[in-house]
Amino acid sequence: MKNLNGKRSFLWLAVGVICGMCMSYFWPHEPAFAVATDRDGDRFAITTVPTRSGNAEGVFVLDFLTGRLQGAVLNSRTGKFTHAYFRNLAADFSVDPTAKPHYVIVSGDVNLPAQGRAQFADGGLYVAEMSSGMVICYAFSFVFNTTPGAPQQLLPMDKFQFRQAQ
């Protein structure tokens, strides 16, 4: 009797594994997209931003001490950084960089339509600053090119006030 129960348990286990494999094969597959953001205390933050499908992400570094945001996109064919971007956030937020502004940065999908000849990347940057109480969305133009281009300014798309300025 004990041996028969062991065989049934194994049979049910095998049926469960086979059913699970069949379900996972027919279940709709969704790709996982991940962006990363990290910071080093009150000195700088780094984040990645999607550019276009099939291309490498852009990487952006926000220097809290100068209020400067700089980034680049690695060319997936040449393995070199061919697109460079920059922005003076201290001027955008009207803060004094020597007064130690408190920035927060994240990236996200924006999927903006082309404006004239400018084709935007799929992702954008959202930067908030505590003393001004503002959040600004930045976008950047991205056209796949294997030759390095001149650095371009990040474009502020819109902003909103999340608290009163101090």
Side-chain angles (χ1 to χ4, degrees):
M1 183 73 175
K2 195 174 192 180
N3 194 14
L4 186 59
N5 284 338
K7 288 181 182 178
R8 284 186 185 160
S9 296
F10 180 74
L11 175 67
W12 283 113
L13 177 65
V15 168
V17 168
I18 291 169
C19 288
M21 290 173 59
C22 289
M23 282 180 55
S24 68
Y25 180 77
F26 292 110
W27 200 266
H29 293 78
E30 294 184 27
F33 298 102
V35 293
T37 302
D38 195 11
R39 68 183 296 140
D40 176 40
D42 58 353
R43 292 186 281 189
F44 78 98
I46 187 169
T47 188
T48 59
V49 181
T51 54
R52 293 241 177 245
S53 180
N55 291 310
E57 295 176 325
V59 61
F60 288 85
V61 177
L62 172 53
D63 183 350
F64 297 157
L65 304 176
T66 63
R68 189 161 169 86
L69 177 62
Q70 291 184 267
V73 176
L74 187 72
N75 187 305
S76 50
R77 290 191 184 147
T78 64
K80 304 284 183 195
F81 286 105
T82 55
H83 297 75
Y85 303 94
F86 66 95
R87 188 74 189 191
N88 182 355
L89 298 184
D92 289 348
F93 287 98
S94 301
V95 294
D96 180 10
T98 60
K100 290 193 174 186
H102 297 281
Y103 296 105
V104 177
I105 184 170
V106 295
S107 61
D109 290 334
V110 292
N111 294 319
L112 296 170
Q115 292 181 355
R117 297 181 70 177
Q119 294 179 344
F120 292 106
D122 291 341
L125 296 160
Y126 298 95
V127 181
E129 199 283 318
M130 186 60 91
S131 62
S132 67
M134 283 196 306
V135 173
I136 301 177
C137 175
Y138 294 94
F140 56 98
S141 63
F142 179 79
V143 177
F144 185 78
N145 194 354
T146 56
T147 58
Q152 301 175 32
Q153 281 224 34
L154 291 164
L155 304 170
M157 299 312 293
D158 202 6
K159 62 184 172 182
F160 72 90
Q161 197 82 30
F162 69 90
R163 66 179 280 185
Q164 293 297 323
Q166 295 178 352

